[in-house]
Amino acid sequence: MTEFKNTGQSWASHVDPDRETLARLLHAGTFATALVAVGDPWDRVGREWEAVVVASLARGLAALDVLALPADEGYPLIADHSRSELIALCRRGAASGVFADGPPGVRVLTSSSYLLVPTGQWGGYAAAWLSRPQAGGSRYVDPSELREALLSAEARHAAAPSSC
C-alpha cells in the first residue's frame, strides 16, 4: 500500500500491503496513531464526524470500487490491517440511521466511542490512511451510498461463479 492516487487501480488491490509498506506500518513507532474521541475535530478533518466500520477490509474496499470513489480527493478512509476493517469517516449524524438495520458486519462509531486514527503521513498497522483528508476540510463518504455499494458488491460476489 502506497499513498493511493486515482490511477485507475482498484481499491481492492490495497487489501494486502506490499513488503515495504507492511514493514513501514509495522515499525511506525509510538506516534504513528492516536486514540481520538469520535466526533472531535482533529488533524485535517476539522469538523464533527462519525465512523462507519466495515468488516472485512476486502468487503469495504470492494464497496469503494463499486462507488468509484476517487482516492485523491480527500475522503478520509482508514485501513485497520490488524482487524481487517475499513473505516470511513462520515458527517456526524449521517450514518447511524442508515446502518441501523444492517448489513451485518458494519457498525457505526458515534460520539460515545473512540477510534485509533493515523497521525502524520501514513499511520501504522492498526490505523493507516488509504485516503487522507485534505487540509481545510474533508469530503465525507456518504453513508447511504456506502450502504448501497456494500449491498451491490455482495450481490456481485454472490452471483459470480466460484472457482474451486
Side-chain angles (χ1 to χ4, degrees), residues 15 38 43 45 62 67 69 71 74 84-85 100 107-108 116 128 136 153 159:
V15 170
V38 171
D43 195 22
V45 174
L67 280 175
L69 192 71
S84 185
E85 294 177 331
R107 66 186 191 282
V108 177
L116 192 64

Side-chain angles (χ1 to χ4, degrees), residues 81-99:
H81 293 286
S82 65
R83 295 175 53 109
S84 185
E85 294 177 331
L86 172 73
I87 298 111
L89 303 189
C90 301
R91 193 169 312 284
R92 183 177 179 186
S96 297
V98 171
F99 289 100

Side-chain angles (χ1 to χ4, degrees), residues 34-159:
L35 190 61
V36 174
V38 171
D40 286 347
W42 109 94
D43 195 22
R44 296 183 182 130
V45 174
R47 292 185 294 220
E48 292 183 344
W49 51 277
E50 59 190 16
V52 176
V53 182
V54 179
S56 71
L57 178 58
R59 181 175 170 226
L61 294 173
L64 295 180
D65 280 337
V66 168
L67 280 175
L69 192 71
D72 57 353
E73 293 189 14
Y75 291 93
L77 296 163
I78 300 168
D80 179 344
H81 293 286
S82 65
R83 295 175 53 109
S84 185
E85 294 177 331
L86 172 73
I87 298 111
L89 303 189
C90 301
R91 193 169 312 284
R92 183 177 179 186
S96 297
V98 171
F99 289 100
D101 62 345
V106 178
R107 66 186 191 282
V108 177
L109 302 179
T110 60
S111 61
S112 61
S113 307
Y114 285 83
L115 178 65
L116 192 64
V117 297
T119 59
Q121 186 173 7
W122 302 109
Y125 189 70
W129 287 121
L130 291 175
S131 175
R132 291 191 312 259
Q134 294 177 347
S138 293
R139 295 178 153 190
Y140 288 107
V141 174
D142 180 288
S144 297
E145 291 178 5
L146 180 60
R147 184 179 195 283
E148 291 306 312
L150 279 165
L151 295 172
S152 177
E154 289 170 359
R156 288 181 188 181
H157 179 72

